[in-house]
Amino acid sequence: MYAQMVKSEATQDDPAQLAAFQARIDADEKIEPKDWMPEGYRKTLIRQIGQHAHSEIVGQLPEGNWITRAPTLERKAILLAKVQDEAGHGLYLYCAAETLGVSRDELTEMLLDGRMKYSSIFNYPTLTWADMGAVGWLVDGAAIMNQVPLQRTSYGPYARAMVRICKEESFHQRQGYAVMMKMAQGTPAQKRMAQDALNRMWYPSLMMFGPSDKDSVHSAQSMAWKIKMNTNDELRQKFVDQTVPQAEYLGLTVPDENLRWNEERGHYDFSEPDWSEFFDVIQGNGPCNVDRLEARNKAWDDNAWVREGLLAHGRKKQQAKVAAQ
């Protein structure tokens, strides 16, 4: 339905402008905020960048839950720095979205009232310290797989924001893998904890790439506009191929009876996630959906006075500037 809506919007634009725009895309030119763009392109970017930004912000919640409970002072400091990075990523992305004519407040309101989503992975709980390793290794690893190609996306502000984000995410992935290595090489109880975290996080991580290509309503148009550079299934396969050897090195077992190397394809064969679970989670019925949105709504309400104060200060500065002219 969304693809049909985009097509309908695109037909309202002048055909010559559309052709010229697509020619720029095909020539790998970057589209900048003041350039003409189809309304469907703008709305698709707002949806994708907004959901990406929200995922960075909501993604702080399952990790922030462990800052005070991390096993050492060093681990606390590392996790605190990581959560701070995620906040920064969200701000970069909100700034990129604002260049498309939507305010940060509007994006937040769309998150809070359910009009805009965030990554399904953050609706799963982090039950043990090993989950912090699994989140860094698997979740940030999947994020990197998604985001590295976005450094070449057609919209300039989005592509440039991704350069720094990807550099920082690579550190997060290494940090998570280091935690998993420590656990896997530790006591039998610690290794069991690491295996349990992998068991619970594996399929939700595969879901991060979005639905199967045959069920994805956004991919075709997004790829034609080079907003998106790879299909969901391409990225999912690449993630599995990269991650399985890492699990083997740790001495952990990927929880998939059908997982095996396919010599003919040159890739691993693997089981599809339970897509009914995926769609159930994004519809708001995951283990932590209610908790995550309650936390964001509370933060929005509790900090209204900060926003009001900053706006008042900004108005005061502007009035003083006008008076001095």
Side-chain angles (χ1 to χ4, degrees), residues 28 49 52 57 75 82 85 96 99 105 116 127 131 133 139 146 148 153 163 175-176 204 228 243 246 254 257 260 314:
D28 290 327
I49 299 173
H52 191 167
I57 298 301
R75 292 294 185 191
K82 182 184 178 187
D85 282 349
T99 66
D105 285 0
M116 192 171 273
L127 303 178
D131 287 9
V139 176
N146 261 320
V148 165
T153 192
V163 173
Q175 178 262 340
K228 186 174 179 177
T243 307
Q246 295 172 352
V254 173
E257 294 179 355
R260 57 183 53 84

PDB file of all heavy atoms in Angstrom, residues 28 49 52 57 75 82 85 96 99 105 116 127 131 133 139 146 148 153 163 175-176 204 228 243 246 254 257 260 314:
ATOM      1  N   ASP A  28      24.714   8.832  -9.513  1.00  0.00           N
ATOM      2  CA  ASP A  28      25.295   8.814  -8.158  1.00  0.00           C
ATOM      3  C   ASP A  28      25.582  10.214  -7.632  1.00  0.00           C
ATOM      4  O   ASP A  28      26.509  10.409  -6.828  1.00  0.00           O
ATOM      5  CB  ASP A  28      26.566   7.966  -8.109  1.00  0.00           C
ATOM      6  CG  ASP A  28      26.273   6.483  -8.260  1.00  0.00           C
ATOM      7  OD1 ASP A  28      25.204   6.044  -7.789  1.00  0.00           O
ATOM      8  OD2 ASP A  28      27.089   5.763  -8.852  1.00  0.00           O
ATOM      9  N   ILE A  49      14.731   7.859   8.018  1.00  0.00           N
ATOM     10  CA  ILE A  49      15.659   8.536   8.940  1.00  0.00           C
ATOM     11  C   ILE A  49      15.022   8.683  10.311  1.00  0.00           C
ATOM     12  O   ILE A  49      15.683   8.516  11.351  1.00  0.00           O
ATOM     13  CB  ILE A  49      16.080   9.912   8.381  1.00  0.00           C
ATOM     14  CG1 ILE A  49      16.805   9.745   7.044  1.00  0.00           C
ATOM     15  CG2 ILE A  49      16.986  10.636   9.370  1.00  0.00           C
ATOM     16  CD1 ILE A  49      17.117  11.063   6.339  1.00  0.00           C
ATOM     17  N   HIS A  52      15.141   5.418  12.059  1.00  0.00           N
ATOM     18  CA  HIS A  52      16.534   5.161  12.422  1.00  0.00           C
ATOM     19  C   HIS A  52      16.912   5.967  13.672  1.00  0.00           C
ATOM     20  O   HIS A  52      17.506   5.432  14.614  1.00  0.00           O
ATOM     21  CB  HIS A  52      17.424   5.550  11.234  1.00  0.00           C
ATOM     22  CG  HIS A  52      18.835   5.097  11.351  1.00  0.00           C
ATOM     23  ND1 HIS A  52      19.720   5.114  10.292  1.00  0.00           N
ATOM     24  CD2 HIS A  52      19.555   4.634  12.414  1.00  0.00           C
ATOM     25  CE1 HIS A  52      20.891   4.671  10.694  1.00  0.00           C
ATOM     26  NE2 HIS A  52      20.823   4.389  11.982  1.00  0.00           N
ATOM     27  N   ILE A  57      17.678   6.200  19.888  1.00  0.00           N
ATOM     28  CA  ILE A  57      17.257   6.735  21.184  1.00  0.00           C
ATOM     29  C   ILE A  57      16.628   5.647  22.054  1.00  0.00           C
ATOM     30  O   ILE A  57      16.992   5.474  23.229  1.00  0.00           O
ATOM     31  CB  ILE A  57      16.271   7.907  20.990  1.00  0.00           C
ATOM     32  CG1 ILE A  57      16.949   9.063  20.237  1.00  0.00           C
ATOM     33  CG2 ILE A  57      15.722   8.381  22.332  1.00  0.00           C
ATOM     34  CD1 ILE A  57      18.174   9.636  20.909  1.00  0.00           C
ATOM     35  N   ARG A  75      33.799  -1.660  33.067  1.00  0.00           N
ATOM     36  CA  ARG A  75      32.642  -2.027  32.252  1.00  0.00           C
ATOM     37  C   ARG A  75      31.541  -0.969  32.346  1.00  0.00           C
ATOM     38  O   ARG A  75      30.859  -0.678  31.368  1.00  0.00           O
ATOM     39  CB  ARG A  75      32.095  -3.390  32.686  1.00  0.00           C
ATOM     40  CG  ARG A  75      33.011  -4.561  32.391  1.00  0.00           C
ATOM     41  CD  ARG A  75      33.175  -4.791  30.911  1.00  0.00           C
ATOM     42  NE  ARG A  75      33.962  -5.990  30.631  1.00  0.00           N
ATOM     43  CZ  ARG A  75      34.421  -6.302  29.442  1.00  0.00           C
ATOM     44  NH1 ARG A  75      34.208  -5.510  28.407  1.00  0.00           N
ATOM     45  NH2 ARG A  75      35.128  -7.400  29.254  1.00  0.00           N
ATOM     46  N   LYS A  82      29.073   4.092  25.607  1.00  0.00           N
ATOM     47  CA  LYS A  82      28.328   3.559  24.479  1.00  0.00           C
ATOM     48  C   LYS A  82      26.920   4.138  24.429  1.00  0.00           C
ATOM     49  O   LYS A  82      26.444   4.541  23.363  1.00  0.00           O
ATOM     50  CB  LYS A  82      28.258   2.027  24.573  1.00  0.00           C
ATOM     51  CG  LYS A  82      27.526   1.422  23.386  1.00  0.00           C
ATOM     52  CD  LYS A  82      27.360  -0.068  23.502  1.00  0.00           C
ATOM     53  CE  LYS A  82      26.568  -0.585  22.308  1.00  0.00           C
ATOM     54  NZ  LYS A  82      26.230  -2.016  22.433  1.00  0.00           N
ATOM     55  N   ASP A  85      27.043   7.519  23.103  1.00  0.00           N
ATOM     56  CA  ASP A  85      27.203   7.502  21.644  1.00  0.00           C
ATOM     57  C   ASP A  85      25.847   7.335  20.957  1.00  0.00           C
ATOM     58  O   ASP A  85      25.563   7.995  19.957  1.00  0.00           O
ATOM     59  CB  ASP A  85      28.112   6.347  21.207  1.00  0.00           C
ATOM     60  CG  ASP A  85      29.595   6.631  21.429  1.00  0.00           C
ATOM     61  OD1 ASP A  85      29.946   7.791  21.719  1.00  0.00           O
ATOM     62  OD2 ASP A  85      30.398   5.683  21.312  1.00  0.00           O
ATOM     63  N   ALA A  96      19.523  15.447  10.418  1.00  0.00           N
ATOM     64  CA  ALA A  96      19.402  15.122   8.996  1.00  0.00           C
ATOM     65  C   ALA A  96      17.943  15.167   8.561  1.00  0.00           C
ATOM     66  O   ALA A  96      17.609  15.685   7.487  1.00  0.00           O
ATOM     67  CB  ALA A  96      20.000  13.742   8.719  1.00  0.00           C
ATOM     68  N   THR A  99      16.387  18.655   7.878  1.00  0.00           N
ATOM     69  CA  THR A  99      16.673  19.298   6.591  1.00  0.00           C
ATOM     70  C   THR A  99      15.587  18.996   5.559  1.00  0.00           C
ATOM     71  O   THR A  99      15.553  19.615   4.492  1.00  0.00           O
ATOM     72  CB  THR A  99      18.034  18.843   6.027  1.00  0.00           C
ATOM     73  OG1 THR A  99      17.973  17.441   5.697  1.00  0.00           O
ATOM     74  CG2 THR A  99      19.154  19.100   7.019  1.00  0.00           C
ATOM     75  N   ASP A 105      10.527  17.779  17.210  1.00  0.00           N
ATOM     76  CA  ASP A 105       9.337  17.575  18.033  1.00  0.00           C
ATOM     77  C   ASP A 105       8.277  16.781  17.274  1.00  0.00           C
ATOM     78  O   ASP A 105       7.618  15.901  17.840  1.00  0.00           O
ATOM     79  CB  ASP A 105       8.748  18.919  18.473  1.00  0.00           C
ATOM     80  CG  ASP A 105       9.564  19.572  19.584  1.00  0.00           C
ATOM     81  OD1 ASP A 105      10.573  18.976  20.010  1.00  0.00           O
ATOM     82  OD2 ASP A 105       9.192  20.674  20.032  1.00  0.00           O
ATOM     83  N   MET A 116       5.071   6.324  14.002  1.00  0.00           N
ATOM     84  CA  MET A 116       6.412   5.992  13.520  1.00  0.00           C
ATOM     85  C   MET A 116       7.014   4.928  14.434  1.00  0.00           C
ATOM     86  O   MET A 116       6.812   4.961  15.652  1.00  0.00           O
ATOM     87  CB  MET A 116       7.282   7.252  13.483  1.00  0.00           C
ATOM     88  CG  MET A 116       8.580   7.100  12.737  1.00  0.00           C
ATOM     89  SD  MET A 116       9.448   8.687  12.504  1.00  0.00           S
ATOM     90  CE  MET A 116       8.685   9.258  10.983  1.00  0.00           C
ATOM     91  N   LEU A 127      18.251  -9.561  29.931  1.00  0.00           N
ATOM     92  CA  LEU A 127      18.031 -10.242  31.211  1.00  0.00           C
ATOM     93  C   LEU A 127      19.304 -10.458  32.017  1.00  0.00           C
ATOM     94  O   LEU A 127      19.246 -10.551  33.244  1.00  0.00           O
ATOM     95  CB  LEU A 127      17.364 -11.605  30.955  1.00  0.00           C
ATOM     96  CG  LEU A 127      16.036 -11.562  30.178  1.00  0.00           C
ATOM     97  CD1 LEU A 127      15.519 -12.973  29.944  1.00  0.00           C
ATOM     98  CD2 LEU A 127      15.006 -10.721  30.922  1.00  0.00           C
ATOM     99  N   ASP A 131      23.818 -10.423  27.935  1.00  0.00           N
ATOM    100  CA  ASP A 131      23.009  -9.759  26.913  1.00  0.00           C
ATOM    101  C   ASP A 131      23.669  -8.477  26.420  1.00  0.00           C
ATOM    102  O   ASP A 131      23.473  -8.071  25.274  1.00  0.00           O
ATOM    103  CB  ASP A 131      21.619  -9.418  27.453  1.00  0.00           C
ATOM    104  CG  ASP A 131      20.738 -10.650  27.604  1.00  0.00           C
ATOM    105  OD1 ASP A 131      21.248 -11.772  27.451  1.00  0.00           O
ATOM    106  OD2 ASP A 131      19.534 -10.484  27.873  1.00  0.00           O
ATOM    107  N   GLY A 133      26.808  -8.195  25.938  1.00  0.00           N
ATOM    108  CA  GLY A 133      27.730  -8.674  24.920  1.00  0.00           C
ATOM    109  C   GLY A 133      26.997  -9.023  23.634  1.00  0.00           C
ATOM    110  O   GLY A 133      27.431  -8.667  22.533  1.00  0.00           O
ATOM    111  N   VAL A 139      23.472  -7.175  17.677  1.00  0.00           N
ATOM    112  CA  VAL A 139      22.595  -6.056  17.315  1.00  0.00           C
ATOM    113  C   VAL A 139      23.390  -4.950  16.629  1.00  0.00           C
ATOM    114  O   VAL A 139      23.009  -4.458  15.557  1.00  0.00           O
ATOM    115  CB  VAL A 139      21.847  -5.526  18.556  1.00  0.00           C
ATOM    116  CG1 VAL A 139      21.004  -4.298  18.189  1.00  0.00           C
ATOM    117  CG2 VAL A 139      20.959  -6.620  19.146  1.00  0.00           C
ATOM    118  N   ASN A 146      23.645  -2.964   8.068  1.00  0.00           N
ATOM    119  CA  ASN A 146      22.626  -2.101   7.472  1.00  0.00           C
ATOM    120  C   ASN A 146      23.176  -0.731   7.094  1.00  0.00           C
ATOM    121  O   ASN A 146      22.803  -0.152   6.064  1.00  0.00           O
ATOM    122  CB  ASN A 146      21.480  -1.890   8.473  1.00  0.00           C
ATOM    123  CG  ASN A 146      20.290  -2.798   8.206  1.00  0.00           C
ATOM    124  OD1 ASN A 146      19.908  -3.028   7.064  1.00  0.00           O
ATOM    125  ND2 ASN A 146      19.699  -3.311   9.269  1.00  0.00           N
ATOM    126  N   VAL A 148      26.537   0.642   6.887  1.00  0.00           N
ATOM    127  CA  VAL A 148      27.709   0.929   6.055  1.00  0.00           C
ATOM    128  C   VAL A 148      27.297   1.293   4.625  1.00  0.00           C
ATOM    129  O   VAL A 148      27.791   2.285   4.064  1.00  0.00           O
ATOM    130  CB  VAL A 148      28.715  -0.233   6.085  1.00  0.00           C
ATOM    131  CG1 VAL A 148      29.733  -0.098   4.961  1.00  0.00           C
ATOM    132  CG2 VAL A 148      29.446  -0.262   7.434  1.00  0.00           C
ATOM    133  N   THR A 153      24.205   6.426   0.416  1.00  0.00           N
ATOM    134  CA  THR A 153      22.811   6.722   0.086  1.00  0.00           C
ATOM    135  C   THR A 153      22.712   8.040  -0.674  1.00  0.00           C
ATOM    136  O   THR A 153      23.610   8.888  -0.596  1.00  0.00           O
ATOM    137  CB  THR A 153      21.952   6.743   1.359  1.00  0.00           C
ATOM    138  OG1 THR A 153      20.565   6.742   1.009  1.00  0.00           O
ATOM    139  CG2 THR A 153      22.240   7.970   2.197  1.00  0.00           C
ATOM    140  N   VAL A 163      28.668   8.386   8.225  1.00  0.00           N
ATOM    141  CA  VAL A 163      30.118   8.155   8.274  1.00  0.00           C
ATOM    142  C   VAL A 163      30.588   8.050   9.722  1.00  0.00           C
ATOM    143  O   VAL A 163      31.240   7.075  10.117  1.00  0.00           O
ATOM    144  CB  VAL A 163      30.875   9.266   7.527  1.00  0.00           C
ATOM    145  CG1 VAL A 163      32.380   9.113   7.730  1.00  0.00           C
ATOM    146  CG2 VAL A 163      30.530   9.250   6.038  1.00  0.00           C
ATOM    147  N   GLN A 175      33.315  -4.108  21.245  1.00  0.00           N
ATOM    148  CA  GLN A 175      33.130  -4.154  22.695  1.00  0.00           C
ATOM    149  C   GLN A 175      32.203  -5.297  23.082  1.00  0.00           C
ATOM    150  O   GLN A 175      32.456  -6.040  24.043  1.00  0.00           O
ATOM    151  CB  GLN A 175      32.572  -2.806  23.183  1.00  0.00           C
ATOM    152  CG  GLN A 175      32.293  -2.738  24.673  1.00  0.00           C
ATOM    153  CD  GLN A 175      30.832  -2.993  25.013  1.00  0.00           C
ATOM    154  OE1 GLN A 175      29.957  -2.869  24.160  1.00  0.00           O
ATOM    155  NE2 GLN A 175      30.567  -3.344  26.261  1.00  0.00           N
ATOM    156  N   GLY A 176      31.117  -5.462  22.330  1.00  0.00           N
ATOM    157  CA  GLY A 176      30.189  -6.554  22.614  1.00  0.00           C
ATOM    158  C   GLY A 176      30.834  -7.913  22.420  1.00  0.00           C
ATOM    159  O   GLY A 176      30.643  -8.832  23.238  1.00  0.00           O
ATOM    160  N   PRO A 204      15.803 -12.428  16.766  1.00  0.00           N
ATOM    161  CA  PRO A 204      15.475 -10.996  16.738  1.00  0.00           C
ATOM    162  C   PRO A 204      16.509 -10.163  15.977  1.00  0.00           C
ATOM    163  O   PRO A 204      16.154  -9.169  15.340  1.00  0.00           O
ATOM    164  CB  PRO A 204      15.425 -10.622  18.223  1.00  0.00           C
ATOM    165  CG  PRO A 204      14.999 -11.887  18.899  1.00  0.00           C
ATOM    166  CD  PRO A 204      15.695 -12.970  18.138  1.00  0.00           C
ATOM    167  N   LYS A 228      18.092   3.252  -0.283  1.00  0.00           N
ATOM    168  CA  LYS A 228      18.517   1.964   0.245  1.00  0.00           C
ATOM    169  C   LYS A 228      19.403   1.319  -0.813  1.00  0.00           C
ATOM    170  O   LYS A 228      19.096   1.380  -2.006  1.00  0.00           O
ATOM    171  CB  LYS A 228      17.267   1.123   0.520  1.00  0.00           C
ATOM    172  CG  LYS A 228      17.480  -0.183   1.205  1.00  0.00           C
ATOM    173  CD  LYS A 228      16.114  -0.794   1.522  1.00  0.00           C
ATOM    174  CE  LYS A 228      16.262  -2.127   2.205  1.00  0.00           C
ATOM    175  NZ  LYS A 228      14.943  -2.677   2.565  1.00  0.00           N
ATOM    176  N   THR A 243      28.758 -13.765  10.811  1.00  0.00           N
ATOM    177  CA  THR A 243      28.602 -13.985  12.250  1.00  0.00           C
ATOM    178  C   THR A 243      28.806 -15.433  12.670  1.00  0.00           C
ATOM    179  O   THR A 243      29.313 -15.694  13.762  1.00  0.00           O
ATOM    180  CB  THR A 243      27.205 -13.499  12.698  1.00  0.00           C
ATOM    181  OG1 THR A 243      27.024 -12.149  12.257  1.00  0.00           O
ATOM    182  CG2 THR A 243      27.066 -13.546  14.203  1.00  0.00           C
ATOM    183  N   GLN A 246      32.269 -16.277  13.699  1.00  0.00           N
ATOM    184  CA  GLN A 246      32.583 -15.616  14.960  1.00  0.00           C
ATOM    185  C   GLN A 246      32.041 -16.422  16.137  1.00  0.00           C
ATOM    186  O   GLN A 246      32.706 -16.565  17.167  1.00  0.00           O
ATOM    187  CB  GLN A 246      32.010 -14.201  14.963  1.00  0.00           C
ATOM    188  CG  GLN A 246      32.645 -13.277  13.939  1.00  0.00           C
ATOM    189  CD  GLN A 246      31.927 -11.945  13.825  1.00  0.00           C
ATOM    190  OE1 GLN A 246      30.856 -11.741  14.400  1.00  0.00           O
ATOM    191  NE2 GLN A 246      32.512 -11.029  13.068  1.00  0.00           N
ATOM    192  N   VAL A 254      25.171 -21.484  17.204  1.00  0.00           N
ATOM    193  CA  VAL A 254      24.039 -20.716  16.682  1.00  0.00           C
ATOM    194  C   VAL A 254      22.793 -21.590  16.770  1.00  0.00           C
ATOM    195  O   VAL A 254      22.805 -22.745  16.327  1.00  0.00           O
ATOM    196  CB  VAL A 254      24.302 -20.282  15.219  1.00  0.00           C
ATOM    197  CG1 VAL A 254      23.059 -19.634  14.622  1.00  0.00           C
ATOM    198  CG2 VAL A 254      25.479 -19.317  15.172  1.00  0.00           C
ATOM    199  N   GLU A 257      19.007 -25.496  13.738  1.00  0.00           N
ATOM    200  CA  GLU A 257      19.303 -26.866  13.326  1.00  0.00           C
ATOM    201  C   GLU A 257      19.561 -26.974  11.831  1.00  0.00           C
ATOM    202  O   GLU A 257      20.190 -27.940  11.370  1.00  0.00           O
ATOM    203  CB  GLU A 257      18.140 -27.786  13.715  1.00  0.00           C
ATOM    204  CG  GLU A 257      17.950 -27.931  15.223  1.00  0.00           C
ATOM    205  CD  GLU A 257      16.773 -28.830  15.555  1.00  0.00           C
ATOM    206  OE1 GLU A 257      16.068 -29.240  14.596  1.00  0.00           O
ATOM    207  OE2 GLU A 257      16.568 -29.118  16.746  1.00  0.00           O
ATOM    208  N   ARG A 260      23.890 -24.603   7.835  1.00  0.00           N
ATOM    209  CA  ARG A 260      25.004 -25.364   7.248  1.00  0.00           C
ATOM    210  C   ARG A 260      25.589 -24.583   6.075  1.00  0.00           C
ATOM    211  O   ARG A 260      24.881 -23.797   5.421  1.00  0.00           O
ATOM    212  CB  ARG A 260      24.549 -26.750   6.791  1.00  0.00           C
ATOM    213  CG  ARG A 260      23.416 -26.772   5.800  1.00  0.00           C
ATOM    214  CD  ARG A 260      23.003 -28.214   5.467  1.00  0.00           C
ATOM    215  NE  ARG A 260      22.722 -29.003   6.638  1.00  0.00           N
ATOM    216  CZ  ARG A 260      21.540 -29.002   7.273  1.00  0.00           C
ATOM    217  NH1 ARG A 260      20.550 -28.239   6.836  1.00  0.00           N
ATOM    218  NH2 ARG A 260      21.362 -29.741   8.328  1.00  0.00           N
ATOM    219  N   GLY A 314      15.832  31.261  23.721  1.00  0.00           N
ATOM    220  CA  GLY A 314      16.065  31.555  22.314  1.00  0.00           C
ATOM    221  C   GLY A 314      15.298  32.786  21.856  1.00  0.00           C
ATOM    222  O   GLY A 314      15.830  33.632  21.121  1.00  0.00           O
TER     223      GLY A 314
END
